[in-house]
Amino acid sequence: MYGDSFDASAGTHPLVDVFGPGWAASFTSSPLVWLNRARMDLLLRAARHGDRLLIVSKPGSRLTEPMRDTLTTLGGHWLVQDPVRGLYDGLSGQVLASLGDALMPSDDFQVCESFMQPGRYDEMQFVVSWSIRHKAEAATVVGRSVEAFLEGLGLGAPQGWGLQEPVTEPWNAAELTRFARSRMPEPSRLVVTGGGDGPRHVLTVMVQRTNHGVEELVTGLVGAGPVDSPAANERLAMIVPVLAGMCEGTMPLFGLVMARSGRADLSYEAVVPGAPMPVAMLIGPPGVRDLQVDIADAVDRWGVFVAGRPRLPALVYGLLPKDAGDATRLPDILAGFDQDRLQAVLGHSAPLAQGGR
């Protein structure tokens, strides 16, 4: 139980096995660690108390994307206790002497040998993140950007949404909006899933009020099909026009899509992940203005797709290398912006700078 590490109002929690200064650890033998109601409750309680949660699993266990996303967003860690090779971080591979060391930065970063074993890389995955700004009015509906992205790739609409896993509500953007509106001014963090018999997708949709209106922030994984399959390669080529289409009738802020190989079920193994490859970046009208982008130069130099409103456009940059000498396309584009302005733009979309996982 949590004991004295929680305040009196929080009490104890059945999932906490041991705790220390600033952290609480929950041990699990489950082969798949998912974001069920009890773990969500523990994560929120720990965060309110200022503690960080450590999920400690056995070798071979996997993490779902919503569990990884929520755990790391709240400052927690996934640790693996290997009876042969000892304790290590399941997402970075860092060898740890004790549970509490997960919270301590180290200059002597050693990677566990187990983490370097090959994983299952049979599915092309899109690592996605984007944000949309809506007007704070009764007609606003959030979740349409998710529909537009998935349907634009020929993957159909999402199937369900909810606060935890497994999701319990059938997909309905209007119902999701009503739920998020009922919780305002508190933000809502929702899980969206689907895929059926085809490539799966699992996304987190964050809805929050700001001084500018209502912002919808989407992050997660979208399966594209088996690696090197015609379907996956076709979807890879469709990302730029799909992002451009999402700009019609909306106010996008920023977006980034990367591709990598991974498991078809979109879960995380405690092994080195497939390297992410930048596919496309979206800079919405506010960013184009704040970065003072020369649109004609961007079109000429980078071949950007100008989308949305003609007088207040968004720009979609294709990031796939055109040839062997074009491997640093994204860093080269970003280096051309005023760096203080760029940080301000990225800072308005906090999760979006985390292109790779």
Side-chain angles (χ1 to χ4, degrees), residues 291 331-346:
L291 291 170
D332 289 345
I333 292 170
L334 296 179
F337 297 132
D338 179 281
Q339 296 303 295
D340 291 336
R341 291 178 181 272
L342 178 63
Q343 288 303 315
V345 169
L346 294 178

Side-chain angles (χ1 to χ4, degrees), residues 33-35 40 43-44 55 63-78 91 127-129 163 165 188-192 202-206 217-221 260 266-268 350-352 354-357:
V33 185
W34 44 290
L35 188 65
M40 174 65 87
L43 277 160
L44 294 176
I55 296 291
L63 230 61
T64 66
E65 162 62 12
M67 185 67 217
R68 181 213 62 80
D69 182 68
T70 306
L71 179 69
T72 57
T73 297
L74 295 178
H77 292 266
W78 173 32
L91 294 176
V127 183
V128 305
S129 53
L163 288 169
E165 298 177 279
S188 295
R189 186 181 180 85
L190 307 167
V191 177
V192 175
V202 56
L203 303 164
T204 297
V205 178
M206 180 85 165
L217 295 88
V218 179
T219 58
L221 300 175
R260 70 174 185 198
L266 306 183
S267 65
Y268 289 80
L352 304 181
Q354 304 170 6
R357 297 285 208 279

Side-chain angles (χ1 to χ4, degrees), residues 124-130 148-150 152-155 222-224 231-247 255-259 277-282 305 316-320:
M124 181 186 289
Q125 303 174 352
F126 294 133
V127 183
V128 305
S129 53
W130 67 77
F149 185 83
L150 296 173
L153 293 177
L155 296 172
V222 175
N233 289 331
E234 181 179 349
R235 291 183 175 116
L236 187 67
M238 293 167 62
I239 291 295
V240 168
V242 167
L243 286 182
M246 289 168 56
C247 299
L256 184 65
V257 177
M258 306 185 82
M277 174 180 63
V279 179
M281 176 177 66
L282 165 65
F305 196 105
V316 182
Y317 292 75
L319 302 176
L320 293 174

Side-chain angles (χ1 to χ4, degrees), residues 276-299:
M277 174 180 63
V279 179
M281 176 177 66
L282 165 65
I283 301 179
V288 173
R289 178 197 62 216
D290 295 345
L291 291 170
Q292 301 179 347
V293 180
D294 184 325
I295 297 175
D297 178 72
V299 171

Side-chain angles (χ1 to χ4, degrees), residues 62-101:
R62 294 173 286 114
L63 230 61
T64 66
E65 162 62 12
M67 185 67 217
R68 181 213 62 80
D69 182 68
T70 306
L71 179 69
T72 57
T73 297
L74 295 178
H77 292 266
W78 173 32
L79 309 184
V80 178
Q81 182 67 67
D82 190 315
V84 176
R85 296 190 172 96
L87 186 70
Y88 64 98
D89 189 296
L91 294 176
S92 71
Q94 181 180 7
V95 174
L96 302 167
S98 67
L99 295 174
D101 284 351

Side-chain angles (χ1 to χ4, degrees), residues 116-336:
M116 301 307 295
Q117 300 303 310
R120 287 183 55 182
Y121 305 133
D122 48 7
E123 179 90 355
M124 181 186 289
Q125 303 174 352
F126 294 133
V127 183
V128 305
S129 53
W130 67 77
S131 60
I132 306 288
R133 178 180 295 162
H134 303 277
K135 295 179 180 179
E137 58 186 22
T140 290
V141 178
V142 298
R144 298 297 193 206
S145 68
V146 174
E147 294 175 338
F149 185 83
L150 296 173
E151 292 173 357
L153 293 177
L155 296 172
Q159 293 176 323
W161 67 278
L163 288 169
Q164 302 98 22
E165 298 177 279
V167 301
T168 56
E169 301 297 321
W171 176 254
N172 185 306
E175 288 297 324
L176 184 150
T177 302
R178 277 192 281 272
F179 177 82
R181 185 179 289 122
S182 71
R183 292 164 58 95
M184 290 180 179
E186 293 298 316
S188 295
R189 186 181 180 85
L190 307 167
V191 177
V192 175
T193 64
D197 296 329
R200 298 189 65 243
H201 53 266
V202 56
L203 303 164
T204 297
V205 178
M206 180 85 165
V207 184
Q208 59 187 11
R209 280 293 301 266
T210 72
N211 293 333
H212 302 287
V214 176
E215 290 190 6
E216 171 186 348
L217 295 88
V218 179
T219 58
L221 300 175
V222 175
V227 172
D228 292 330
S229 68
N233 289 331
E234 181 179 349
R235 291 183 175 116
L236 187 67
M238 293 167 62
I239 291 295
V240 168
V242 167
L243 286 182
M246 289 168 56
C247 299
E248 299 298 328
T250 67
M251 179 61 75
L253 299 179
F254 191 83
L256 184 65
V257 177
M258 306 185 82
R260 70 174 185 198
S261 56
R263 293 179 59 96
D265 64 5
L266 306 183
S267 65
Y268 289 80
E269 299 176 286
V271 296
V272 62
M277 174 180 63
V279 179
M281 176 177 66
L282 165 65
I283 301 179
V288 173
R289 178 197 62 216
D290 295 345
L291 291 170
Q292 301 179 347
V293 180
D294 184 325
I295 297 175
D297 178 72
V299 171
D300 181 63
R301 184 177 182 186
W302 302 112
V304 302
F305 196 105
V306 181
R309 306 170 188 173
R311 295 184 61 184
L312 197 63
L315 303 180
V316 182
Y317 292 75
L319 302 176
L320 293 174
K322 306 297 184 183
D323 53 53
D326 200 21
T328 61
R329 191 171 178 85
L330 177 57
D332 289 345
I333 292 170
L334 296 179

